Amino acid sequence: MAKILLALHGFHSSPASLKVVQMSSYLATYHPEIIFICPQLPCLPADMWRVIESVFEQYKDDQIALMGSSLGGYLATKAAQKYQVKVLLINPAVFPYHLLSHAGPQKHPHTSENYLIDATYLTQLKALQVPFKGTSEQCWVLLQEEDQVLDYREALEKYKQCKISCEQGGDHGFIGFERYLPQIIKFLF
């Protein structure tokens, strides 16, 4: 049985994000037995979910763990709930549809795809919301209080039954993520 770490990047991000690159490099050096997957997520939420489901289908006989940041954390929460796997959430979005409610036409900065955040998009996003029932053994949440995009207190409330590391300062990208890499892998696997 292979060990798989599926990473889900944030809104308008990519597999080239700093946290993904740091994790990939760490695994290549210290845990080459772990297969690291970070797909470029499509723009529409329903398509994002199909990509996630396809990874779980492809590796259904293997041990899968999740890592999700921001919108990727929102998606990882649903996947962890559905598939009952371990998950690391970094400054996860709790109500992303509130932030995007007036967004309109978009151009993805990494794929150059044009798309629209409209009522259909928001309906698809809301459909991925779950009342998370994870435990401190299943879910670890990393938060920084100076996240300039999300209110960390929403995540503190939603994930209060999980393992939480909440730091003063920081930002939405989670400054100093690399400090946690050894502990994260130990937790997930």
Side-chain angles (χ1 to χ4, degrees), residues 29-171:
T29 303
Y30 298 103
H31 294 280
E33 76 281 6
I34 297 174
I35 298 168
F36 186 66
I37 301 168
C38 183
Q40 175 65 58
L41 293 173
C43 293
L44 300 180
D47 295 336
M48 293 175 192
W49 184 248
R50 278 192 279 280
V51 167
I52 294 164
E53 287 188 314
S54 72
V55 172
F56 274 90
E57 178 58 30
Q58 181 180 351
Y59 295 100
K60 63 179 179 278
D61 298 325
D62 297 307
Q63 180 187 358
I64 302 177
L66 287 160
M67 166 182 144
S69 177
S70 191
L71 182 60
Y74 177 78
L75 298 166
T77 299
K78 179 171 173 69
Q81 181 88 357
K82 178 175 180 177
Y83 295 103
Q84 287 302 298
V85 297
K86 288 193 168 189
V87 62
L88 172 79
L89 304 174
I90 308 125
N91 286 333
V94 175
F95 304 109
Y97 40 86
H98 292 173
L99 289 173
L100 301 172
S101 61
H102 302 292
Q106 303 290 314
K107 183 172 185 168
H108 195 288
H110 296 279
T111 66
S112 298
E113 182 181 343
N114 292 303
Y115 70 102
L116 186 63
I117 295 181
D118 58 4
T120 300
Y121 181 100
L122 296 172
T123 298
Q124 289 180 12
L125 199 55
K126 283 181 186 172
L128 299 173
Q129 177 86 42
V130 291
F132 191 57
K133 297 178 175 63
T135 64
S136 58
E137 291 80 36
Q138 181 193 12
C139 177
W140 185 8
V141 185
L142 297 178
L143 299 172
Q144 289 186 332
E145 293 180 5
E146 295 299 319
D147 184 330
Q148 69 278 29
V149 177
L150 302 171
D151 183 345
Y152 76 95
R153 292 169 295 194
E154 293 175 345
L156 273 181
E157 177 57 30
K158 176 163 184 150
Y159 300 102
K160 61 187 170 201
Q161 76 282 14
C162 302
K163 177 178 178 175
I164 295 176
S165 298
C166 185
E167 300 179 347
Q168 292 184 330
D171 67 12

